[in-house]
Amino acid sequence: MTSAAQTYPKFYLYSRIVKAKLFIDSNYHQNLDLENISDEASFSKFHFIRLFKSIYGKTPHHYLTQVRIEKAKHFLQSNCTVTDTCFKVGFDSITSFTGLFKKTVGKTPSEYQQLYCLRQDQIKAQPLRFIPGCFASQKGWAEKSNFEEVR
Amino acid sequence: MITKMNHVSVFVLNQDSAYDFYVNKLGFKVHTDASMEPGMRWLTVCPPEQPDLQISLMSIEEGMMFKGEAANQMRELVKNGTFGFGIFECNDLNATYEEMKAKGVVFKKPPTKEFYGYEALFSDDSGNWFSLGEKQEA
């Protein structure tokens, strides 16, 4: 029996896997399972996992988790509560969300949010601290004394 | 002894549009976005797996860096695709090409086997172009 990779032109194969990846990117907040995703690519489940992993270096499930954690960071940065963030990115349980977030990011969601807000406040208060001096000087920004006052 | 590069500048026509391109289309992470007065915004992004290399998306404004007509000349040069800023790397060129195309990125050259390797060329929203290749094993 010939494999899909032999049967179809390669670009067609890539388009289908990419389509599935983009499907995960847009539908991460829904209750996705492998059946949904492999249907999107029109592959059998196991063939799909193998191809996905060979292209992206991780299984579709691991990739979905990664997308959810990245989106969670984005929501936390936008001042969403941890509970809202958890459900917005497709988790059912705050405990499992918090545990997975900490395992991946190294901080709990609330710690991550606090640190992010702190850094944003510092950037607003003293932007020059975050700009390499050589660039600030070259652009003439370092001479602007009111930078420290801008909010 | 120089040990590494931590900042590089790419001159862009519009920082809002560049933000959308580099973050939403290329998937880069925002490192610092410090807005000050109008026309003074320090915006840096990093490739997803290279958090210690900040790409500064520098707006071309008339000022200390570009005096007089120089800003307009620079804008024209960027728009006309004069500058090739570097080489990006991905794990799978065909898949990355398909994905970027689906997101609306314009390619000057699709994945092509060259004597030096497998590469594609794409432009950012301003006109700067980059080569995209696959990770090479040493």
Side-chain angles (χ1 to χ4, degrees):
Chain A
M1 205 168 106
T2 55
S3 70
Q6 291 165 318
T7 310
Y8 299 107
K10 243 187 163 182
F11 71 89
Y12 182 57
L13 197 71
Y14 278 111
S15 310
R16 288 162 63 193
I17 295 292
V18 168
K19 199 174 153 201
K21 182 203 178 263
L22 294 174
F23 178 77
I24 296 175
D25 290 345
S26 320
N27 295 280
Y28 63 89
H29 54 290
Q30 292 182 7
N31 187 17
L32 292 184
D33 63 25
L34 210 48
E35 298 288 350
N36 301 133
I37 305 169
S38 55
D39 280 355
E40 190 64 25
S42 316
F43 284 121
S44 76
K45 199 161 69 175
F46 297 106
H47 186 46
F48 170 66
I49 294 173
R50 198 170 54 78
L51 285 173
F52 193 98
K53 195 172 176 189
S54 75
I55 289 174
Y56 293 110
K58 46 181 70 100
T59 64
H61 176 72
H62 282 140
Y63 178 71
L64 172 61
T65 303
Q66 182 192 317
V67 171
R68 285 177 167 167
I69 296 296
E70 287 302 318
K71 296 288 179 186
K73 285 186 192 170
H74 172 76
F75 286 122
L76 292 167
Q77 288 172 9
S78 311
N79 273 331
C80 262
T81 64
V82 174
T83 308
D84 283 350
T85 300
C86 165
F87 298 122
K88 270 176 184 272
V89 299
F91 284 92
D92 297 326
S93 140
I94 294 174
T95 312
S96 59
F97 166 62
T98 303
L100 197 57
F101 191 95
K102 181 160 189 188
K103 192 178 159 196
T104 313
V105 180
K107 299 174 185 71
T108 65
S110 45
E111 284 167 351
Y112 175 84
Q113 191 170 46
Q114 281 166 14
L115 285 170
Y116 179 81
C117 290
L118 180 66
R119 185 166 186 271
Q120 290 307 107
D121 288 345
Q122 288 171 340
I123 287 175
K124 277 184 193 155
Q126 295 179 301
L128 284 177
R129 273 186 54 203
F130 296 84
I131 303 172
C134 54
F135 284 101
S137 300
Q138 196 182 13
K139 289 180 83 67
W141 294 352
E143 293 146 25
K144 301 273 176 181
S145 57
N146 63 341
F147 272 11
E148 308 305 309
E149 295 160 15
V150 176
R151 293 288 183 275
Chain B
M1 177 175 77
I2 293 173
T3 52
K4 60 174 14 177
M5 178 178 266
N6 54 30
H7 284 78
V8 63
S9 297
V10 172
F11 290 101
V12 299
L13 301 177
N14 179 294
Q15 284 178 311
D16 288 335
S17 167
Y19 182 108
D20 180 58
F21 181 86
Y22 283 85
V23 175
N24 299 325
K25 292 194 164 79
L26 299 192
F28 286 16
K29 310 279 181 207
V30 176
H31 186 285
T32 302
D33 188 357
S35 287
M36 296 165 281
E37 294 174 2
M40 295 178 185
R41 180 183 180 191
W42 177 249
L43 173 62
T44 68
V45 295
C46 306
E49 294 184 14
Q50 204 171 11
D52 59 353
L53 175 63
Q54 293 183 57
I55 300 171
S56 167
L57 303 174
M58 298 273 249
S59 173
I60 306 166
E61 305 286 346
E62 191 178 333
M64 274 184 73
M65 191 176 272
F66 297 107
K67 293 193 172 67
E69 186 52 22
N72 281 336
Q73 290 168 345
M74 185 63 179
R75 264 194 286 272
E76 283 305 309
L77 288 169
V78 168
K79 218 184 292 180
N80 292 333
T82 310
F83 302 111
F85 268 106
I87 302 170
F88 288 122
E89 185 179 285
C90 62
N91 290 329
D92 188 304
L93 182 55
N94 292 334
T96 307
Y97 168 73
E98 289 293 335
E99 181 178 341
M100 288 168 68
K101 239 181 22 166
K103 289 179 175 173
V105 175
V106 175
F107 276 81
K108 290 159 72 86
K109 181 167 86 172
T112 307
K113 284 205 171 12
E114 302 287 2
F115 69 91
Y116 49 81
Y118 193 37
E119 75 156 8
L121 296 178
F122 69 92
S123 296
D124 72 5
D125 59 305
S126 295
N128 302 301
W129 58 269
F130 297 91
S131 170
L132 177 63
E134 285 185 352
K135 189 174 179 175
Q136 301 288 323
E137 297 304 329

